[in-house]
Amino acid sequence: MADYVAGAPDRAARLPLWPALDQRLVVALIAAALLGLVMVASTSTSVAERATGDPFYYLERQALFVVLAAGVAAAVLQAPLSLWERNGPGLVLVALGLLLLVLIPGVGQEVNDARRWLPLGVLNVQVAEPVKVLVAIYVAGFLVRRQRQLHTSMWAFLAPVAVAGACAFLLLCQPDFGTAAMLMAVVGGLLYLAGVPLWRFAALVAVLAGVAASLVLYSPYRWERVTAFMDPWSDPFNTGFQLTQSLIAIGRGGWLGVGLGGSVQKLFYLPEAHTDFVFSVLAEELGLLGVTTVLLLFAYIVWRAMALGWQCHRHRLPFAGYLAWALGLVLGLQAFINMGVATGLLPTKGLTLPLFSYGGSSAVVTGAMVGLLLRCGYELAQARADGVRPIDAEEGA
């Protein structure tokens, strides 16, 4: 059977967009976004009233961000993946440009000794958010173009690592160690899934681990975070304050929680309750039942993304396959890091919880990721409608 080619004359009629989407994945994403809105409302009322006099200030803005994110998802869903694949090299240049722009004094906005935001009127854009998606698109396209060379050429293996490394270096200049580490982990994960020789992957992991350890050891504030993470109770009112308050919140939750809106820790005890530590308040108010629900939602979303990537590869859609894997890795790793920080499994990183934490940049970029992921599923459905048989089915015929 001939390979699937976009625009071939024997293609089936274009499938209607909505019925061809993964409906269960859509439901899971909507459920997570709605639960996130509820938690932003619960976690932000006190701090919003103190800061602005309006207890619903952050909720109203987050609701607007969610609507905007839904619009972005719908717009991205309309664009064929071939458009993103063709423009991957240009998009990674945009990512590098954003990372350089934010470091220019007077252009990038500095908050808490970190220069991570570009002020754009009503919205401050945290450039790390779009960068991780733009790099994922580039690397997915690169792996399609250089699939054969990955097994034989050291250059083909190192090129995406170098691009991601350049972005990670600029992220460290902000500084943003958490996003830099996550970006390198996503690229390493994609290379592993692409089937690079195991010894090269192991060498990459060893080098990255050594670089990360050096950055921690020779940076006083990062080392302080590590020591605080290892024993937060030794200094609970200073370096260990965030983690101890987070652990108290989680411990108070018990099996069923203290009830929605009943958190004590969000009342000026737990810093950044509506952004970095929304998971802690959720655990306090909804208990183990709420925590389990959130874990299952993220597990399902990531599992669907990884399964979708595998099916796309089987149906001769390699770019869609790599992109779905990349998006699954980004969502899964960011959620794992955020929840790991809240529960004391990882040092403080400052990464938000996708679909839950307050923030315009995070919401809009997550909307773009959702649109791309659903588009991967749509093009898979279109390939199946066109009669493309799985590769392993043809081999067994």
Side-chain angles (χ1 to χ4, degrees):
M1 170 178 262
D3 289 354
Y4 172 72
V5 179
D10 58 345
R11 286 189 64 185
R14 186 173 183 272
L15 291 175
L17 194 60
W18 175 254
L21 299 182
D22 187 332
Q23 302 295 324
R24 293 180 181 178
L25 178 58
V26 171
V27 169
L29 291 164
I30 292 175
L34 292 178
L35 182 55
L37 267 180
V38 170
M39 291 314 303
V40 168
S42 177
T43 55
S44 67
T45 50
S46 298
V47 66
E49 187 169 18
R50 182 179 64 172
T52 68
D54 179 6
F56 301 111
Y57 176 79
Y58 290 118
L59 172 62
E60 292 166 354
R61 287 175 64 85
Q62 185 68 4
L64 178 62
F65 293 151
V66 170
V67 171
L68 182 59
V72 169
V76 170
L77 184 55
Q78 301 293 327
L81 292 181
S82 58
L83 177 67
W84 302 102
E85 184 178 4
R86 287 196 305 271
N87 292 286
L91 293 176
V92 83
L93 291 178
V94 171
L96 289 167
L98 288 172
L99 291 171
L100 288 169
L101 191 62
V102 78
L103 295 176
I104 300 175
V107 178
Q109 185 178 43
E110 186 172 338
V111 179
N112 296 330
D113 298 322
R115 194 181 297 274
R116 302 177 183 176
W117 290 267
L118 287 177
L120 298 178
V122 296
L123 181 66
N124 291 331
V125 177
Q126 187 174 356
V127 297
E129 293 290 340
V131 162
K132 60 193 178 187
V133 181
L134 297 177
V135 171
I137 292 172
Y138 165 76
V139 174
F142 181 90
L143 293 178
V144 173
R145 296 189 298 272
R146 305 295 181 185
Q147 179 65 57
R148 293 184 183 276
Q149 291 93 323
L150 282 174
H151 302 276
T152 58
S153 170
M154 182 62 73
W155 174 86
F157 171 73
L158 291 178
V161 176
V163 171
C167 292
F169 172 77
L170 294 174
L171 285 166
L172 290 171
C173 293
Q174 296 181 6
D176 188 351
F177 181 81
T179 304
M182 188 187 73
L183 185 65
M184 297 307 298
V186 169
V187 173
L190 279 177
L191 288 169
Y192 176 78
L193 292 170
V196 299
L198 189 58
W199 72 268
R200 289 182 182 172
F201 176 76
L204 175 63
V205 171
V207 170
L208 293 179
V211 171
S214 299
L215 290 171
V216 170
L217 290 172
Y218 293 101
S219 175
Y221 88 93
R222 292 193 185 106
W223 180 247
E224 184 179 90
R225 285 185 172 186
V226 170
T227 55
F229 146 75
M230 295 174 66
D231 186 11
W233 302 102
S234 63
D235 191 9
F237 299 108
N238 188 15
T239 57
F241 184 76
Q242 286 183 313
L243 182 52
T244 55
Q245 297 302 314
S246 176
L247 294 175
I248 290 171
I250 294 171
R252 291 189 73 244
W255 291 97
L256 300 177
V258 298
L260 190 63
S263 168
V264 173
Q265 295 307 112
K266 70 183 180 185
L267 302 176
F268 316 118
Y269 293 103
L270 186 60
E272 310 296 340
H274 59 304
T275 54
D276 296 350
F277 288 94
V278 65
F279 181 76
S280 305
V281 179
L282 182 145
E284 183 181 4
E285 295 188 345
L286 303 182
L288 181 62
L289 178 62
V291 168
T292 302
T293 300
V294 173
L295 290 174
L296 289 175
L297 279 172
F298 275 109
Y300 181 77
I301 291 169
V302 173
W303 171 74
R304 284 302 306 151
M306 305 309 285
L308 174 61
W310 171 245
Q311 290 300 321
C312 287
H313 279 287
R314 293 182 67 223
H315 288 80
R316 307 177 190 280
L317 298 170
F319 177 74
Y322 287 125
L323 186 58
W325 282 344
L327 297 172
L329 288 171
V330 170
L331 289 170
L333 282 172
Q334 187 163 334
F336 172 75
I337 292 172
N338 179 275
M339 291 186 280
V341 168
T343 55
L345 295 175
L346 296 171
T348 303
K349 291 291 188 296
L351 292 178
T352 58
L353 184 61
L355 301 167
F356 282 82
S357 294
Y358 171 82
S361 297
S362 176
V364 170
V365 172
T366 301
M369 287 194 289
V370 166
L372 287 169
L373 187 59
L374 293 177
R375 182 71 196 192
C376 292
Y378 172 76
E379 296 202 2
L380 173 63
Q382 183 69 64
R384 285 170 168 166
D386 291 343
V388 177
R389 295 178 62 192
I391 293 174
D392 49 359
E394 289 194 357
E395 290 174 350

